[in-house]
Amino acid sequence: MRKTNVKKKVLSTLLLGSAILCTSCGPLNNKPAAENLNLALAGMDGSDGVSFEGASSLLLNGKPAPEASLYYGGSVAEHNKVSLYTVLPDRGTPRTAARGEKVTLKSSPAGTPAYYSKLEKNNGEWTLLSEKGSAQGDNPLPALNPIRQLDELENLEKKVTEEAGTARGTRVLRIELSEAESKRQLAAELQHQMDAIRPEGSTINLKTADKGLESLQLVWEQKNNELQQKLKQVSVKTVYYLKVDKKRNLPKSLTSSRKVSRPGVQTVSGSTVEEIYLTQVNFYGYR
């Protein structure tokens, strides 16, 4: 009887010790998803450079808008300098849309303009050093800077979870922004685009202004007011998927899906007006 009690105590002690060891080791081997995100972002910050290729696409009520498709490549040098340029869609650029989205990024139509941009990060802000192939405010590449997108993820209001069933040696983090954050992000991007095309002399004196400039300014103000009104009516959902190399804690790919809908506005067929903007970029050649 005494031996049985001793065995039970030994067994209980072993089980308790095992539980304590698992508890202490668990966070090291199974870090919370948000912590894994921070490690991946730190890994990118610590690399000297990396190359990337990506694609973007727009769906309007489920139908692709070919004129909005864009394939691009680029590289990072000296931690904070990014070069981006458009590429042809036959260079192995990723075609699959956001994880879980049964959508394919369509090829750019023939005659798509060639763009080039070079940016540098100073004091936390990205500034445009040079660009080619576009009029002011027309170049889409600066907004597709994947390093800026990764930088932003750290401070956005979000929910981070880890996807199950990923390929061996990798993890996929699902990052969903709150609706308020999604709207703030969209509004900031659209306002930046509007500011880029604002006529020179935005603080013009209407009594002394050139008539042509005055007319352009009035048109810009009208369109900007319309934009602000539309932003109040939309519903926005933004989800990112970050694939990470477990061993090196480095991003392998970043995919995003932004769904914008206007519940009170319907098409002729009666369906809700909906836009889905998709981007995907693969990282390789870390230095």
Side-chain angles (χ1 to χ4, degrees):
M1 188 71 175
R2 182 177 296 176
K3 288 183 178 180
T4 301
N5 290 335
V6 171
K7 286 183 178 180
K8 285 182 178 180
K9 288 183 179 179
V10 171
L11 181 59
S12 297
T13 302
L14 289 174
L15 289 174
L16 179 60
S18 176
I20 292 173
L21 288 173
C22 288
T23 301
S24 62
C25 294
L28 296 178
N29 298 319
N30 300 290
K31 296 180 176 68
E35 188 175 342
N36 285 325
L37 172 61
N38 291 335
L39 285 173
L41 297 179
M44 176 64 84
D45 286 341
S47 64
D48 291 329
V50 65
S51 297
F52 55 84
E53 284 196 1
S56 65
S57 181
L58 177 66
L59 302 178
L60 300 176
N61 289 327
K63 297 181 180 180
E67 68 279 2
S69 297
L70 185 69
Y71 292 84
Y72 60 95
S75 60
V76 183
E78 301 175 21
H79 297 281
N80 63 344
K81 294 181 180 179
V82 175
S83 297
L84 298 105
Y85 45 82
T86 49
V87 298
L88 296 176
D90 59 355
R91 290 186 54 191
T93 308
R95 304 295 178 90
T96 305
R99 181 181 175 86
E101 296 271 0
K102 295 182 178 179
V103 175
T104 299
L105 297 173
K106 302 298 182 180
S107 300
S108 302
T112 298
Y115 298 103
Y116 169 82
S117 292
K118 188 171 184 179
L119 304 103
E120 183 176 15
K121 187 179 180 182
N122 286 311
N123 298 320
E125 297 292 332
W126 287 96
T127 56
L128 186 64
L129 299 180
S130 63
E131 63 177 351
K132 295 179 181 178
S134 67
Q136 183 184 21
D138 186 45
N139 191 338
L141 290 178
L144 292 169
N145 175 4
I147 309 305
R148 178 189 62 79
Q149 293 174 345
L150 288 170
D151 285 345
E152 289 182 346
L153 286 180
E154 186 173 3
N155 298 315
L156 294 175
E157 186 178 292
K158 60 191 178 294
K159 178 182 178 181
V160 185
T161 55
E162 185 166 339
E163 297 285 280
T166 58
R168 186 176 181 181
T170 66
R171 62 168 49 95
V172 174
L173 303 175
R174 183 182 187 276
I175 305 139
E176 181 174 349
L177 305 189
S178 67
E179 182 166 354
E181 189 69 81
S182 295
K183 290 189 73 170
R184 282 194 293 268
Q185 185 189 59
L186 174 61
E189 291 178 10
L190 292 177
Q191 190 60 56
H192 180 75
Q193 294 175 20
M194 286 297 295
D195 290 342
I197 61 173
R198 188 170 189 169
E200 293 182 4
S202 56
T203 57
I204 57 175
N205 185 325
L206 295 181
K207 293 182 179 180
T208 60
D210 175 85
K211 291 297 182 181
L213 182 59
E214 178 186 344
S215 177
L216 287 175
Q217 175 67 17
L218 292 175
V219 171
W220 183 90
E221 290 177 356
Q222 178 185 351
K223 295 301 180 183
N224 191 53
N225 289 335
E226 290 177 4
L227 172 63
Q228 301 307 319
Q229 292 302 314
K230 288 181 179 179
L231 284 172
K232 293 178 181 179
Q233 301 170 9
V234 299
S235 173
V236 188
K237 180 179 180 179
T238 305
V239 179
Y240 294 86
Y241 290 92
L242 180 65
K243 181 183 288 188
V244 180
D245 182 322
K246 280 186 178 181
K247 185 176 181 180
R248 299 190 296 167
N249 279 322
L250 289 172
K252 292 175 67 69
S253 68
L254 177 66
T255 304
S256 71
S257 170
R258 174 191 282 158
K259 182 184 295 185
V260 182
S261 56
R262 298 176 64 188
V265 180
Q266 295 185 335
T267 62
V268 177
S269 62
S271 59
T272 299
V273 175
E274 181 180 88
E275 297 179 4
I276 301 178
Y277 182 61
L278 304 166
T279 66
Q280 181 184 353
V281 58
N282 289 340
F283 301 98
Y284 60 93
Y286 280 95
R287 300 181 287 281

